[in-house]
Amino acid sequence: MRVTLAYGKQGLPLELPDDHNVRVIENRFVPALADPEAALRNALRAPTGTRPLRELANEDNTVAIVFSDITRPTPNHLILPAILEELAHLPDDNILLCNALGTHRPNSRVELEQMLGADIVARYRIVQNDAVSGDTQVCIGRSSFGHELWINRDYLEADVKILTGFIEPHFFAGFSGGGKAVMPGMAGQRTVFGNHDAGMIADERATWGITHGNPIWEEAREAALLTRPDLLLNVSLNSDKEITGVFAGELASAHDAGIDFVRASSMVAVEQPCDIVITTNSGWPLDMNLYQAVKGMSAAEQIVRPGGSIIIAAECAEGVPEHGLYGQLLNEAANATELASNVLKAQETRQDQWQAQIQARIQARADVYVYADGLSDSQIENALLLPCRDIPALLDQLLRRYGSNARIAILPEGPQTIPWLKESMVQEPAIA
């Protein structure tokens, strides 16, 4: 059996014997739209629940367009030109592009040019969300969950607000897209920390595919709606990162339509838990570091049995990474149990603790092995994980542990396909 794992920019071929009990779990492939530029243009001219974009802004208005950062495969190079075409009647100086970093690092000019195109970067003002600087944030009140909502000042001051992004299953927000462009995308650190605190992350509904009733998703939508966005433009992507659907309009209705579309193709039922799950983090740019790769581990967690093993292939070209506190949190613990304890007993939320908390939860269920060309064995071990340099060899070793009839699952696209066990779901996904 030959399977190509989504890994970096090139992929990772994997050869496995045909005589094992192996199931390759992939989503239902949705072909790319024949003319994505036309689909984007048409959606902006006939959005659901609001007027066409061209009518939402006049030449005296200022417009903020929120876009995803380098860690997301959002086709900004297609989305932004389509929006800017509809705003051609406005002076360039009236348009502000907002990089929804959340608490991530700023993107370099080269990265921005890769994402948006050199012409757009040169032509328009770009604000990269600075979650740490209080001077760039405004408090717009408290959410129904009790957290202060600090949102980027430049975004808030725009007359017209446009949110963009792409929709995929998310490991604690249910699905991405929608309100996540604002929170965490354009939010202050204290707001992100509130939404991602240990109690919110520990909620059993804060998981793949669950939206209504999921406190993290609910608060993100609530925060975004309070900023009164004028238009949402989200897309869905297939495993080739091509646009398969365009959803534009009023935030809630457009996002819900996109979620229904993505859910039908990306969530796959599995009858029994598996002894071994081989997964990825969907390749570049999603597998650029170990922090991001926790999502791929979490996808595998959904179907691995207690005491089983997860093998994740993630290139991690950017390392752990060096920025943020994820690596520091891992280094402060001797093992996953201590890592979980450190997060839960902490007096205040620290940056990236949500990723560490989820990693610890996964490791309480299964051993986690990491295949990553961008990490040394010592870096993987310092992250409390187990290094792997040869997946077939490790698989042979694990089969000696679990027996030749062990159930093996492979998630070649990682968290772009979310398997789920019917018996363990808090809320069964409404799969069309």
Side-chain angles (χ1 to χ4, degrees), residues 375-394:
L375 297 171
S376 66
D377 286 2
S378 62
Q379 285 178 300
I380 295 171
E381 290 167 347
N382 288 340
L384 311 178
L385 299 161
L386 301 167
C388 167
R389 295 298 168 194
D390 185 329
I391 294 176
L394 173 59

Side-chain angles (χ1 to χ4, degrees), residues 47-212:
T48 61
T50 188
R51 291 177 292 157
L53 174 56
R54 190 169 295 179
E55 298 177 11
L56 290 175
N58 62 50
E59 60 185 15
D60 296 323
N61 292 145
T62 56
V63 179
I65 306 169
V66 181
F67 65 93
S68 305
D69 75 351
I70 192 67
T71 66
R72 305 291 186 260
T74 310
N76 292 310
H77 65 290
L78 297 177
I79 291 174
L80 263 65
I83 292 173
L84 293 169
E85 178 185 345
E86 299 304 300
L87 298 174
H89 56 292
L90 272 68
D92 290 354
D93 290 346
N94 286 27
I95 296 175
L96 176 68
L97 307 183
C98 299
N99 192 3
L101 294 171
T103 60
H104 297 172
R105 65 165 176 82
N107 298 152
S108 69
R109 185 179 181 91
V110 170
E111 290 173 330
L112 290 170
E113 290 177 348
Q114 291 172 347
M115 295 158 55
L116 310 181
D119 178 66
I120 287 178
V121 174
R123 185 173 171 181
Y124 298 97
R125 180 184 170 214
I126 298 175
V127 168
Q128 304 203 62
N129 188 55
D130 184 348
V132 178
S133 173
D135 293 341
T136 67
Q137 307 289 328
V138 175
C139 184
I140 61 172
R142 286 184 180 272
S143 75
S144 60
F145 295 88
H147 301 133
E148 289 186 352
L149 299 175
W150 289 83
I151 307 297
N152 183 273
R153 182 187 303 274
D154 289 315
Y155 162 76
L156 288 173
E157 289 180 348
D159 299 317
V160 177
K161 303 175 184 67
I162 302 168
L163 309 181
T164 71
F166 91 106
I167 302 171
E168 67 172 349
H170 190 277
F171 67 140
F172 58 75
F175 282 90
S176 65
K180 286 182 92 276
V182 174
M183 206 280 282
M186 298 302 294
Q189 180 173 268
R190 73 191 83 182
T191 296
V192 178
F193 285 5
N195 182 254
H196 292 20
D197 72 21
M200 298 279 276
I201 292 292
D203 192 297
E204 62 181 359
R205 296 163 296 182
T207 189
W208 302 101
I210 296 179
T211 52
H212 297 281

Side-chain angles (χ1 to χ4, degrees), residues 107-398:
N107 298 152
S108 69
R109 185 179 181 91
V110 170
E111 290 173 330
L112 290 170
E113 290 177 348
Q114 291 172 347
M115 295 158 55
L116 310 181
D119 178 66
I120 287 178
V121 174
R123 185 173 171 181
Y124 298 97
R125 180 184 170 214
I126 298 175
V127 168
Q128 304 203 62
N129 188 55
D130 184 348
V132 178
S133 173
D135 293 341
T136 67
Q137 307 289 328
V138 175
C139 184
I140 61 172
R142 286 184 180 272
S143 75
S144 60
F145 295 88
H147 301 133
E148 289 186 352
L149 299 175
W150 289 83
I151 307 297
N152 183 273
R153 182 187 303 274
D154 289 315
Y155 162 76
L156 288 173
E157 289 180 348
D159 299 317
V160 177
K161 303 175 184 67
I162 302 168
L163 309 181
T164 71
F166 91 106
I167 302 171
E168 67 172 349
H170 190 277
F171 67 140
F172 58 75
F175 282 90
S176 65
K180 286 182 92 276
V182 174
M183 206 280 282
M186 298 302 294
Q189 180 173 268
R190 73 191 83 182
T191 296
V192 178
F193 285 5
N195 182 254
H196 292 20
D197 72 21
M200 298 279 276
I201 292 292
D203 192 297
E204 62 181 359
R205 296 163 296 182
T207 189
W208 302 101
I210 296 179
T211 52
H212 297 281
N214 177 339
I216 293 174
W217 182 89
E218 294 271 14
E219 188 175 48
R221 175 168 285 190
E222 179 183 342
L225 289 173
L226 284 173
T227 69
R228 302 177 67 85
D230 295 274
L231 182 76
L232 174 76
L233 177 62
N234 277 177
V235 299
S236 56
L237 306 176
N238 61 23
S239 57
D240 295 327
K241 311 295 193 294
E242 299 168 322
I243 295 177
T244 58
V246 180
F247 311 93
E250 181 272 329
L251 187 151
S253 59
H255 192 213
D256 286 348
I259 287 172
D260 289 343
F261 183 84
V262 172
R263 191 195 304 274
S265 64
S266 64
M267 302 198 72
V268 179
V270 174
E271 294 299 325
Q272 293 181 297
C274 300
D275 300 282
I276 304 164
V277 183
I278 301 171
T279 187
T280 75
N281 211 55
S282 306
W284 177 266
L286 296 168
D287 72 347
M288 68 192 320
N289 56 50
L290 187 63
Y291 170 92
Q292 293 293 337
V294 175
K295 297 174 185 176
M297 302 175 200
S298 179
E301 176 197 14
Q302 306 310 301
I303 57 168
V304 72
R305 72 166 176 81
S309 291
I310 294 169
I311 306 170
I312 183 165
E315 188 178 45
C316 299
E318 197 183 74
V320 173
E322 295 302 319
H323 55 84
L325 298 183
Y326 170 65
Q328 181 179 325
L329 289 163
L330 299 177
N331 290 333
E332 290 173 355
N335 52 52
T337 300
E338 185 175 324
L339 176 62
S341 176
N342 289 348
V343 171
L344 293 173
K345 73 181 183 183
Q347 295 300 307
E348 59 182 13
T349 302
R350 299 170 66 187
Q351 182 180 355
D352 300 339
Q353 72 168 46
W354 44 90
Q355 220 82 347
Q357 181 180 356
I358 293 171
Q359 178 181 319
R361 184 193 70 206
I362 297 166
Q363 291 181 268
R365 185 176 183 85
D367 292 335
V368 181
Y369 297 84
V370 177
Y371 178 99
D373 288 316
L375 297 171
S376 66
D377 286 2
S378 62
Q379 285 178 300
I380 295 171
E381 290 167 347
N382 288 340
L384 311 178
L385 299 161
L386 301 167
C388 167
R389 295 298 168 194
D390 185 329
I391 294 176
L394 173 59
L395 192 56
D396 286 342
Q397 174 187 329
L398 293 175

